[in-house]
Structures are given as C-alpha cells and as structure tokens.
Amino acid sequence: MPIATVNPATGETLKTYDALGDAEIEHRLATAEAAFRAHRTTSFEERARLMHRAADLLESDAPEIGRTMTVEMGKPVKQARAEAAKCAKAMRWYADHAEELLADEEGAKNDAEDSGASRVLVRYRPLGPVLAVMPWNFPLWQVIRFAAPALMAGNVGLLKHASNVPQTALYLEDLFRRAGFAEGCFQTLLVGSGAIEDILRDPRIKAATLTGSEPAGRAVASVAGDEVKKTVLELGGSDPYVVMPSADIDKAAKTAVTARVQNNGQSCIAAKRFIVHTDVFDAFAERFTEAMKALTVGDPLDEGSDVGPIATEQGRDDLVELVDDAVEGGATVLCGGERPDGDGWYYLPTVLADITPEMRIHHEEAFGPVATLYRAADLDEAVAIANDTPFGLSSNVWTRDEAETDRFVRDLEAGGVFFNGMTASHPAFPFGGVKRSGYGRELSGHGIREFCNITTVWHGA
C-alpha cells in the first residue's frame, strides 16, 4: 500500500510520500536510544510540563488537524475535532496522574522481615524505545493513548502509522517537538508494513504495541515473541448490544444508532450485534431501523453529515461482500444494504435481521455502518449469542434489573461491560479485550505500567 493521502470522499490522491530508507531508519533508531537515556532521568514535573504544553497545542490545532483527519480517512469533521479534544484531555490526565500511578510501593513490614530484609519496595522503571503500530480509524486517539502514558513513564516512542494517514502521523511527531520534548522522544516512521519486522527485531526496540486487525496482531506478536519482547495488542471487536425488557427502549434505540455508526461505523468498540429480548424486539427494531434510515450520508467536511465514506475502497468492498453473503444466506435487509451512486467509498447505514451462524457476518467484524439484529428468548440465550464470537473487546447491556446486571458481568466474555449506555474509552479506566481481541490493557494505571520494568528493590537487614 503506498504511503499517501487519498480522500475517501472522492477517491482522489492528494499527496504521496516516499518510504524511509535503511539509513534513515537506522538514524531514527539511534536517535530514539539516545533520547531514552536522557528522557528516563527527567522528573515527572518536567514531563508533565511538556505534556500539558502538547495538550494546549493540540487543542488550539483542533480545527486544522480535524480537517486533515477527515480528508485522510473520512470521519465527519465534527467527530474529528472531538477526537482532538479527547486526546488533549487524556494527555492532561496522564500529566497530572503519572507520578502517583508510578509511585514506589512499599512492602508490608512483616513481609520484608520475613524475607530477611529491612525494607522492600516495588519501583516502576521505563523499558526504553517502544514501537507503536497504529491504525487509521482514530488516527490521533489511538496514538495518544499510547504516547501520553509512555512518555510520562520515561519511555520514548516510534510510530509506524497506517499508510493512508501520513499527514496525521507527521503532525504527531511535530506536536511533541513543538511542545519541547527532546529530539527523538517521539518519532514517526514513514515505512510500509514490510519494514516492521526488522525494526521490531532491532535490539534497541524494547517492546511494541499494536492496534489493528487480527492478522496484523498475529504477525507482530509472533516476531516479538521470537525476540522475547513485551507486546500489547488491541485487535478487532464485534461487540454485543443487549436489550432486555426492563430497558428504556426509546433511549436504547437512540443510543444504538450512535454506538453503531460513530466514526462511520469503523470502530473496534462500536456495537455491531444487537441482541434484543423477544418481548421488546419489534419495538426496538422499528425505532432503531427508522433512526438508521434517517441519518444523513454525505461529505464528511459538511457539518450536517452524520456518516461519511468508508476509509478505503478495499474496506468498502469487504463490507459489501459481508452483506451480500448474509443476504444470499437468507438475511432480511431492514434498511440500506447498498452503495449510493457517485464518487467516494460510501455505504448506506444498514440493518440486517434473521442472521444465522452460517453467515460470515455472524463471526466476522463488519467495519462500517452495518448492524445485525438478533432475537433472544431469555437472558441465557442473550448471553450465548453475545459470546458466540471469536472477539471479546467490550459489550453493552440495557437492563434495570440488578440480578440481570450481576449475571451479565459474570458471564459476558469481554474486556468491558457498559450498562445503559454505549462503550467509550476514558483515560482513567483500563481498556482492552480478551479472546481474539488481544491482550494487555491501555489507559489508566494498568496502561502506563504495561511498558515498565516492575522492579523489586530489597534492602538487607
């Protein structure tokens, strides 16, 4: 895939970039190693000052970088500006909390004495340069939720961003430079996917994080495992959205639309499979389908557009294949199910019912504004359908029954359970999945400690 900005609303190639050569990659790895030796010794106070400065710059740049993101990958521009604001919030959160999250942990006195020590503590030390392989769908947020905790912990970062968002990738490097972080603390590597293995195998790279597809995660984890290097993976998701009889159906249906089509439906944590108790199925399906049909599909730079194009032509082709396969297998199209005429890689918001396990869409992630509806006879069937997926990123449940709440928390196979609302990430709470959605956690104290050397410090009596 060429490194280029291709406007998905028109299909027009706007700007292309040459991939870095071997000499330039070597220079950047050497620069990262040197930067780490200095950055690791800086104080939390100094790192926080720089991170706050970066957040301020990002906030002021939001209109410009928001437009850049929209042109590169097609999200509605109002959502792009909101993404920039969310990033600034996370940067400030880590600037204000990193020292506390990574403070030395004093061992209990009786345990220290039992080990023959006068004192034992745990200290969190940075690992070194971390390689981040990031996707295009949230081109700022996916990076910042790695970069902010990594830099605050004393690590340095090298970003291999998706090849269709090069301008956003270069902006991120420039952002941290303008904020005052030393040269090499955060660098963008404009390289193709074929260069990742050699970079990851380089001994100066100490760990890697990847958000992306399951095949990409397998490839990176395989190389990192061979090199015995730590990885954090956030891969695909096919999140369930369960609606039980006690739910506020109007609110559940309204929220369901946003949960499915945010970011043009191209989000790992978007609700994709809507599992509705039979007692309220018809009411929910009617409200949900009418709201999906009412969405405005159009130019993502237009403030009135609710849904823009799919980010790549291949992505739309993949979505078309999934829907066509379901329809051929007997699925009912309640709305959408087709490409509109005209330029760009658009796809109409779609609701499919009568899904069976034989259909690809039952097991594969639909990365676009396509929802599947399931009817569940009771709670047990709802849980069974929800868990009948190789993924386990997050989940959504609408119920006001406390006993049902306890059952869903106990039984759903996911990294998060969100009740009476939609899944969202927040810097204070851990984010990640189970099964083929990956492993490890981002955000919160759990996320900042993922790339730390958790060191036992023992003092003899």
Side-chain angles (χ1 to χ4, degrees), residues 304-455:
S305 293
D306 299 311
V307 180
I310 302 301
T312 67
E313 187 172 18
Q314 183 61 56
R316 187 179 66 172
D317 289 346
D318 292 343
L319 198 62
V320 168
E321 288 181 9
L322 275 182
V323 173
D324 287 351
D325 173 79
V327 172
E328 289 169 7
T332 301
V333 180
L334 300 184
C335 70
E338 58 187 29
R339 294 170 283 188
D341 295 331
D343 295 330
W345 302 314
Y346 293 91
Y347 196 80
L348 295 181
T350 298
V351 179
L352 302 175
D354 303 313
I355 305 299
T356 66
E358 291 73 32
M359 299 171 188
R360 287 176 53 199
I361 202 166
H362 180 75
H363 299 289
E364 298 180 29
E365 180 179 21
F367 219 56
V370 176
T372 52
L373 271 176
Y374 295 80
R375 186 188 296 265
D378 52 26
L379 185 149
D380 289 335
E381 187 176 18
V383 169
I385 297 170
N387 288 341
D388 189 22
T389 172
F391 301 107
L393 192 52
S394 190
S395 60
N396 314 259
V397 179
W398 288 75
T399 179
R400 287 179 281 200
D401 184 314
E402 289 188 13
E404 289 180 351
T405 297
D406 291 340
R407 277 287 310 279
F408 281 114
V409 172
R410 187 192 74 181
D411 294 342
L412 285 178
E413 298 167 352
V417 186
F418 285 68
F419 288 99
N420 303 317
M422 57 179 275
T423 297
S425 53
H426 185 283
F429 308 121
F431 179 84
V434 294
K435 302 198 291 189
R436 292 188 181 178
S437 287
Y439 52 75
R441 290 295 180 266
E442 297 177 289
L443 303 176
S444 76
H446 297 279
I448 197 172
R449 298 184 193 109
E450 286 281 9
F451 295 118
C452 286
N453 176 357
I454 304 173
T455 308

Side-chain angles (χ1 to χ4, degrees), residues 39 45-57 87-88 90-96 144 147-153 176 179 181:
H39 184 62
E45 181 181 12
E46 173 64 6
R47 296 173 202 166
R49 182 185 70 81
L50 297 174
M51 191 62 69
H52 272 291
R53 174 61 176 155
D56 292 343
L57 289 170
C87 290
M91 294 160 82
R92 293 185 178 116
W93 190 87
Y94 272 110
D96 294 339
I144 291 299
L151 288 168
M152 285 305 302
F176 288 111
F181 283 92

Side-chain angles (χ1 to χ4, degrees), residues 120-430:
V120 177
L121 58 87
V122 174
R123 175 164 295 176
Y124 296 94
R125 297 188 292 163
L127 290 180
V130 180
L131 174 65
V133 182
M134 293 289 132
W136 47 261
N137 58 333
F138 291 94
L140 279 185
W141 173 242
Q142 305 282 13
V143 178
I144 291 299
R145 73 186 193 191
F146 146 74
L151 288 168
M152 285 305 302
N155 295 303
V156 301
L158 293 124
L159 168 65
K160 190 287 179 210
H161 217 325
S163 293
N164 61 327
V165 290
Q167 293 185 62
T168 305
L170 291 170
Y171 167 82
L172 284 158
E173 178 180 86
D174 186 59
L175 172 67
F176 288 111
R177 182 184 297 115
R178 285 189 291 141
F181 283 92
E183 189 72 22
C185 280
F186 188 90
Q187 300 178 83
T188 287
L189 304 177
L190 289 185
V191 296
S193 58
I196 294 174
E197 178 172 351
D198 286 346
I199 295 170
L200 184 51
R201 288 190 185 278
D202 189 286
R204 289 165 291 193
I205 296 294
K206 302 304 182 185
T209 179
L210 178 142
T211 298
S213 68
E214 184 185 340
R218 288 178 182 274
V220 166
S222 177
V223 174
D226 191 48
E227 295 291 336
V228 198
K229 294 182 180 180
K230 175 72 177 288
T231 53
V232 170
L233 303 180
E234 192 265 279
L235 308 178
S238 191
D239 290 3
Y241 190 101
V242 180
V243 182
M244 299 298 287
S246 65
D248 180 332
I249 301 302
D250 287 334
K251 188 176 180 181
K254 181 179 179 180
T255 304
V257 175
T258 304
R260 176 61 284 225
V261 303
Q262 61 170 330
N263 208 50
N264 303 338
Q266 298 167 119
S267 170
C268 295
I269 57 170
K272 299 183 176 76
R273 297 175 299 126
F274 296 81
I275 304 161
V276 186
H277 192 283
T278 189
D279 291 352
V280 292
F281 181 90
D282 291 339
F284 177 88
E286 179 182 3
R287 290 165 173 76
F288 179 50
T289 301
E290 287 303 312
M292 290 283 279
K293 287 165 63 175
L295 294 168
T296 300
V297 179
D299 183 353
L301 290 174
D302 185 334
E303 297 284 347
S305 293
D306 299 311
V307 180
I310 302 301
T312 67
E313 187 172 18
Q314 183 61 56
R316 187 179 66 172
D317 289 346
D318 292 343
L319 198 62
V320 168
E321 288 181 9
L322 275 182
V323 173
D324 287 351
D325 173 79
V327 172
E328 289 169 7
T332 301
V333 180
L334 300 184
C335 70
E338 58 187 29
R339 294 170 283 188
D341 295 331
D343 295 330
W345 302 314
Y346 293 91
Y347 196 80
L348 295 181
T350 298
V351 179
L352 302 175
D354 303 313
I355 305 299
T356 66
E358 291 73 32
M359 299 171 188
R360 287 176 53 199
I361 202 166
H362 180 75
H363 299 289
E364 298 180 29
E365 180 179 21
F367 219 56
V370 176
T372 52
L373 271 176
Y374 295 80
R375 186 188 296 265
D378 52 26
L379 185 149
D380 289 335
E381 187 176 18
V383 169
I385 297 170
N387 288 341
D388 189 22
T389 172
F391 301 107
L393 192 52
S394 190
S395 60
N396 314 259
V397 179
W398 288 75
T399 179
R400 287 179 281 200
D401 184 314
E402 289 188 13
E404 289 180 351
T405 297
D406 291 340
R407 277 287 310 279
F408 281 114
V409 172
R410 187 192 74 181
D411 294 342
L412 285 178
E413 298 167 352
V417 186
F418 285 68
F419 288 99
N420 303 317
M422 57 179 275
T423 297
S425 53
H426 185 283
F429 308 121

